[in-house]
């Protein structure tokens, strides 16, 4: 356990708000905060399953009344912005400013700091969110995460039906285990104020992987000869729409697959925050193999 996570410096009775608390990443953050004995408030649109020590607030993160309620008695926020547009975030930022908690924002390593505009619309939203939070004087700790290993859970239905994963191909990235990102987030959320590093943290896994590489690792974990088949954009679009994904999300994913450049960057920032190196996707695949069979 990193020293930062041992030395919590919190107001008695205060809560940590976790947005996206039932998601792949958020639920890992919640588990860890609970294990540290922190009082957690969660914010999601759907009522979560009850958990001891977790107080749910149900509503939209873009609804200022919901955010105001969630922030009462809260002195730190793990913030995700799951929307495809940052225009409704001004209200959120106003509520954060009024409540003045410590803000840990989950962004993306895909941001190109040299570019005024990002070619990928999802990445642009994260860039806008970072600028909004900084511009409001909230002094957020920004955790830019690479592609989460947990995204591959979306392949589970295909892998239960056969040995082929077909989908959009995207540029290779340093896929990171969401448990490492959660450990890093919790280290920052529980850090003593006087030791808090306000800097930017780039959280990557230890190796750069394509989708075919990830499928191969899953195959090794499952002991099955799995293959990845890249689909052309039009076919991927029609399949995602048929699966019920919202059209703006589908278009954003298609744009990301075409425009997001390959990233060969690997950092040691997970280790810097957690005290141990980032785990491999191969290990993630072994640990989660049961979800795919
Ligand atoms: N996945 C990646 O590779 C990656 C990489 C970099 C950054 N990120 C960022 O990390 C975030 C979390 O990723 P994830 O994979 O954990 O997502 P996820 O599994 O899809 O979970 C999303 C969470 O957000 C909640 N949510 C969604 N829309 C909401 C809204 N309008 N208001 C309130 N809560 C809402 C969901 O619960 P309800 O549905 O009940 O609301 C759920 O708890 C992403 O949104 C993205 O901003 C992801």
């Amino acid at each position: 356990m990193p020293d930062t996570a041992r030395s919590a410096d919190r107001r008695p009775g205060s809560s940590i708000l976790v947005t996206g608390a039932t998601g792949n990443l958020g639920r890992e953050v919640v588990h860890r905060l609970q294990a540290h004995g922190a009082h957690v408030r969660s914010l999601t649109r759907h009522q979560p399953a009850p958990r001891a020590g977790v107080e749910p607030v149900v509503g939209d993160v873009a609804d200022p009344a919901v955010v105001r309620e969630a922030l009462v008695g809260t002195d730190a926020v793990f913030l995700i912005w799951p929307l495809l547009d940052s225009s409704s975030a001004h209200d959120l930022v106003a509520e954060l400013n009024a409540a003045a908690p410590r803000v840990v924002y989950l962004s993306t390593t895909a941001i190109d700091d040299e570019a005024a505009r990002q070619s990928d619309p999802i990445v642009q939203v994260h860039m806008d969110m970072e600028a909004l939070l900084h511009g409001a004087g909230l002094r957020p700790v920004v955790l830019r995460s690479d592609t989460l290993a947990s995204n591959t859970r979306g392949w589970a239905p295909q892998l239960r039906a056969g040995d082929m994963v077909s989908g959009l191909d995207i540029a290779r990235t340093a896929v990171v285990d969401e448990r490492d990102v959660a450990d890093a987030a919790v280290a920052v959320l529980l850090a003593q104020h006087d030791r808090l590093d306000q800097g930017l943290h780039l959280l990557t896994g230890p190796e750069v992987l394509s989708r075919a590489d990830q499928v191969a690792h899953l195959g090794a974990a499952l002991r099955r000869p799995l293959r990845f088949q890249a689909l052309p954009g039009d076919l991927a679009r029609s399949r995602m729409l048929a699966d019920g994904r919202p059209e703006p999300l589908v278009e954003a994913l298609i744009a990301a697959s075409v425009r997001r450049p390959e990233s060969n960057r690997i950092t040691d920032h997970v280790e810097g925050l957690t005290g141990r190196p980032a785990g491999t996707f191969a290990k993630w695949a072994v640990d989660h193999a049961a979800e795919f069979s």
Side-chain angles (χ1 to χ4, degrees), residues 98-118:
R102 175 190 307 191
V103 175
V104 178
Y105 178 63
L106 199 279
S107 183
T108 172
T109 52
I111 290 177
D112 174 1
D113 288 305
E114 305 301 315
R117 296 286 305 169
Q118 306 296 310

mmCIF file of all heavy atoms in Angstrom, residues 98-118:
data_model
loop_
_atom_site.group_PDB
_atom_site.id
_atom_site.type_symbol
_atom_site.label_atom_id
_atom_site.label_comp_id
_atom_site.label_asym_id
_atom_site.label_seq_id
_atom_site.Cartn_x
_atom_site.Cartn_y
_atom_site.Cartn_z
ATOM 1 N N ALA A 98 -18.753 25.849 -5.608
ATOM 2 C CA ALA A 98 -19.460 26.251 -4.385
ATOM 3 C C ALA A 98 -19.097 25.325 -3.223
ATOM 4 O O ALA A 98 -18.930 25.772 -2.084
ATOM 5 C CB ALA A 98 -20.969 26.231 -4.630
ATOM 6 N N ALA A 99 -18.942 24.027 -3.512
ATOM 7 C CA ALA A 99 -18.675 23.066 -2.438
ATOM 8 C C ALA A 99 -17.173 22.935 -2.152
ATOM 9 O O ALA A 99 -16.787 22.512 -1.062
ATOM 10 C CB ALA A 99 -19.243 21.694 -2.819
ATOM 11 N N ALA A 100 -16.351 23.292 -3.121
ATOM 12 C CA ALA A 100 -14.886 23.308 -2.999
ATOM 13 C C ALA A 100 -14.270 22.004 -2.492
ATOM 14 O O ALA A 100 -13.438 22.027 -1.587
ATOM 15 C CB ALA A 100 -14.449 24.474 -2.116
ATOM 16 N N PRO A 101 -14.665 20.850 -3.032
ATOM 17 C CA PRO A 101 -13.978 19.617 -2.635
ATOM 18 C C PRO A 101 -12.659 19.477 -3.405
ATOM 19 O O PRO A 101 -12.420 20.182 -4.375
ATOM 20 C CB PRO A 101 -14.956 18.518 -3.101
ATOM 21 C CG PRO A 101 -15.560 19.114 -4.336
ATOM 22 C CD PRO A 101 -15.650 20.608 -4.094
ATOM 23 N N ARG A 102 -11.841 18.535 -2.974
ATOM 24 C CA ARG A 102 -10.690 18.125 -3.777
ATOM 25 C C ARG A 102 -11.250 17.360 -4.985
ATOM 26 O O ARG A 102 -12.126 16.506 -4.826
ATOM 27 C CB ARG A 102 -9.819 17.205 -2.941
ATOM 28 C CG ARG A 102 -8.667 16.626 -3.686
ATOM 29 C CD ARG A 102 -7.981 15.546 -2.875
ATOM 30 N NE ARG A 102 -7.600 15.984 -1.549
ATOM 31 C CZ ARG A 102 -6.810 15.278 -0.744
ATOM 32 N NH1 ARG A 102 -6.360 14.110 -1.129
ATOM 33 N NH2 ARG A 102 -6.495 15.727 0.441
ATOM 34 N N VAL A 103 -10.776 17.648 -6.195
ATOM 35 C CA VAL A 103 -11.317 17.004 -7.397
ATOM 36 C C VAL A 103 -10.231 16.165 -8.060
ATOM 37 O O VAL A 103 -9.138 16.656 -8.354
ATOM 38 C CB VAL A 103 -11.858 18.060 -8.402
ATOM 39 C CG1 VAL A 103 -12.309 17.381 -9.691
ATOM 40 C CG2 VAL A 103 -12.990 18.866 -7.792
ATOM 41 N N VAL A 104 -10.553 14.902 -8.280
ATOM 42 C CA VAL A 104 -9.674 14.015 -9.042
ATOM 43 C C VAL A 104 -10.429 13.672 -10.315
ATOM 44 O O VAL A 104 -11.470 13.000 -10.265
ATOM 45 C CB VAL A 104 -9.336 12.740 -8.243
ATOM 46 C CG1 VAL A 104 -8.460 11.807 -9.079
ATOM 47 C CG2 VAL A 104 -8.657 13.105 -6.931
ATOM 48 N N TYR A 105 -9.957 14.172 -11.457
ATOM 49 C CA TYR A 105 -10.678 13.989 -12.717
ATOM 50 C C TYR A 105 -10.018 12.894 -13.549
ATOM 51 O O TYR A 105 -8.810 12.908 -13.781
ATOM 52 C CB TYR A 105 -10.723 15.300 -13.516
ATOM 53 C CG TYR A 105 -11.434 15.097 -14.831
ATOM 54 C CD1 TYR A 105 -12.782 14.735 -14.846
ATOM 55 C CD2 TYR A 105 -10.761 15.203 -16.048
ATOM 56 C CE1 TYR A 105 -13.443 14.484 -16.043
ATOM 57 C CE2 TYR A 105 -11.415 14.969 -17.244
ATOM 58 C CZ TYR A 105 -12.754 14.603 -17.230
ATOM 59 O OH TYR A 105 -13.408 14.344 -18.410
ATOM 60 N N LEU A 106 -10.855 11.986 -14.050
ATOM 61 C CA LEU A 106 -10.375 10.859 -14.862
ATOM 62 C C LEU A 106 -10.461 11.238 -16.334
ATOM 63 O O LEU A 106 -11.556 11.336 -16.890
ATOM 64 C CB LEU A 106 -11.244 9.637 -14.558
ATOM 65 C CG LEU A 106 -10.716 8.253 -14.918
ATOM 66 C CD1 LEU A 106 -10.893 7.904 -16.368
ATOM 67 C CD2 LEU A 106 -9.234 8.090 -14.541
ATOM 68 N N SER A 107 -9.291 11.476 -16.928
ATOM 69 C CA SER A 107 -9.221 11.924 -18.320
ATOM 70 C C SER A 107 -8.564 10.828 -19.168
ATOM 71 O O SER A 107 -8.571 9.663 -18.780
ATOM 72 C CB SER A 107 -8.422 13.237 -18.356
ATOM 73 O OG SER A 107 -8.379 13.769 -19.651
ATOM 74 N N THR A 108 -8.043 11.215 -20.299
ATOM 75 C CA THR A 108 -7.479 10.217 -21.222
ATOM 76 C C THR A 108 -6.064 10.577 -21.676
ATOM 77 O O THR A 108 -5.779 11.765 -21.951
ATOM 78 C CB THR A 108 -8.380 10.040 -22.460
ATOM 79 O OG1 THR A 108 -7.709 9.202 -23.403
ATOM 80 C CG2 THR A 108 -8.701 11.359 -23.146
ATOM 81 N N THR A 109 -5.229 9.557 -21.802
ATOM 82 C CA THR A 109 -3.867 9.764 -22.328
ATOM 83 C C THR A 109 -3.886 10.132 -23.810
ATOM 84 O O THR A 109 -2.863 10.521 -24.353
ATOM 85 C CB THR A 109 -3.012 8.480 -22.193
ATOM 86 O OG1 THR A 109 -3.746 7.402 -22.770
ATOM 87 C CG2 THR A 109 -2.656 8.185 -20.756
ATOM 88 N N ALA A 110 -5.036 9.998 -24.460
ATOM 89 C CA ALA A 110 -5.095 10.273 -25.898
ATOM 90 C C ALA A 110 -5.054 11.774 -26.201
ATOM 91 O O ALA A 110 -4.946 12.161 -27.372
ATOM 92 C CB ALA A 110 -6.356 9.649 -26.506
ATOM 93 N N ILE A 111 -5.121 12.614 -25.167
ATOM 94 C CA ILE A 111 -5.038 14.065 -25.430
ATOM 95 C C ILE A 111 -3.661 14.409 -25.994
ATOM 96 O O ILE A 111 -2.638 13.989 -25.462
ATOM 97 C CB ILE A 111 -5.291 14.877 -24.135
ATOM 98 C CG1 ILE A 111 -6.766 14.760 -23.736
ATOM 99 C CG2 ILE A 111 -4.882 16.337 -24.314
ATOM 100 C CD1 ILE A 111 -7.126 15.458 -22.438
ATOM 101 N N ASP A 112 -3.678 15.191 -27.069
ATOM 102 C CA ASP A 112 -2.447 15.708 -27.657
ATOM 103 C C ASP A 112 -2.324 17.159 -27.200
ATOM 104 O O ASP A 112 -3.047 18.033 -27.668
ATOM 105 C CB ASP A 112 -2.532 15.618 -29.187
ATOM 106 C CG ASP A 112 -1.347 16.263 -29.878
ATOM 107 O OD1 ASP A 112 -0.448 16.771 -29.174
ATOM 108 O OD2 ASP A 112 -1.332 16.278 -31.126
ATOM 109 N N ASP A 113 -1.411 17.414 -26.267
ATOM 110 C CA ASP A 113 -1.294 18.763 -25.695
ATOM 111 C C ASP A 113 -0.790 19.784 -26.710
ATOM 112 O O ASP A 113 -0.928 20.988 -26.493
ATOM 113 C CB ASP A 113 -0.366 18.740 -24.471
ATOM 114 C CG ASP A 113 -1.037 18.064 -23.292
ATOM 115 O OD1 ASP A 113 -2.144 18.485 -22.918
ATOM 116 O OD2 ASP A 113 -0.456 17.101 -22.753
ATOM 117 N N GLU A 114 -0.205 19.283 -27.806
ATOM 118 C CA GLU A 114 0.301 20.213 -28.822
ATOM 119 C C GLU A 114 -0.810 20.710 -29.738
ATOM 120 O O GLU A 114 -0.622 21.683 -30.464
ATOM 121 C CB GLU A 114 1.363 19.519 -29.698
ATOM 122 C CG GLU A 114 2.524 18.907 -28.934
ATOM 123 C CD GLU A 114 3.262 19.955 -28.120
ATOM 124 O OE1 GLU A 114 3.523 21.025 -28.682
ATOM 125 O OE2 GLU A 114 3.531 19.707 -26.933
ATOM 126 N N ALA A 115 -1.959 20.016 -29.735
ATOM 127 C CA ALA A 115 -3.040 20.370 -30.670
ATOM 128 C C ALA A 115 -4.086 21.221 -29.962
ATOM 129 O O ALA A 115 -4.515 20.889 -28.850
ATOM 130 C CB ALA A 115 -3.688 19.096 -31.210
ATOM 131 N N ALA A 116 -4.497 22.309 -30.619
ATOM 132 C CA ALA A 116 -5.528 23.170 -30.030
ATOM 133 C C ALA A 116 -6.869 22.441 -30.010
ATOM 134 O O ALA A 116 -7.662 22.592 -29.089
ATOM 135 C CB ALA A 116 -5.642 24.465 -30.833
ATOM 136 N N ARG A 117 -7.149 21.660 -31.066
ATOM 137 C CA ARG A 117 -8.378 20.847 -31.140
ATOM 138 C C ARG A 117 -7.970 19.395 -31.329
ATOM 139 O O ARG A 117 -7.042 19.098 -32.077
ATOM 140 C CB ARG A 117 -9.257 21.246 -32.336
ATOM 141 C CG ARG A 117 -9.831 22.629 -32.319
ATOM 142 C CD ARG A 117 -10.958 22.825 -31.357
ATOM 143 N NE ARG A 117 -12.086 21.905 -31.503
ATOM 144 C CZ ARG A 117 -13.067 21.808 -30.584
ATOM 145 N NH1 ARG A 117 -13.048 22.523 -29.490
ATOM 146 N NH2 ARG A 117 -14.055 20.969 -30.772
ATOM 147 N N GLN A 118 -8.677 18.509 -30.671
ATOM 148 C CA GLN A 118 -8.400 17.080 -30.796
ATOM 149 C C GLN A 118 -9.217 16.523 -31.955
ATOM 150 O O GLN A 118 -10.397 16.864 -32.110
ATOM 151 C CB GLN A 118 -8.781 16.359 -29.497
ATOM 152 C CG GLN A 118 -8.138 16.954 -28.263
ATOM 153 C CD GLN A 118 -6.618 16.823 -28.279
ATOM 154 O OE1 GLN A 118 -6.081 15.742 -28.507
ATOM 155 N NE2 GLN A 118 -5.924 17.942 -28.059
#
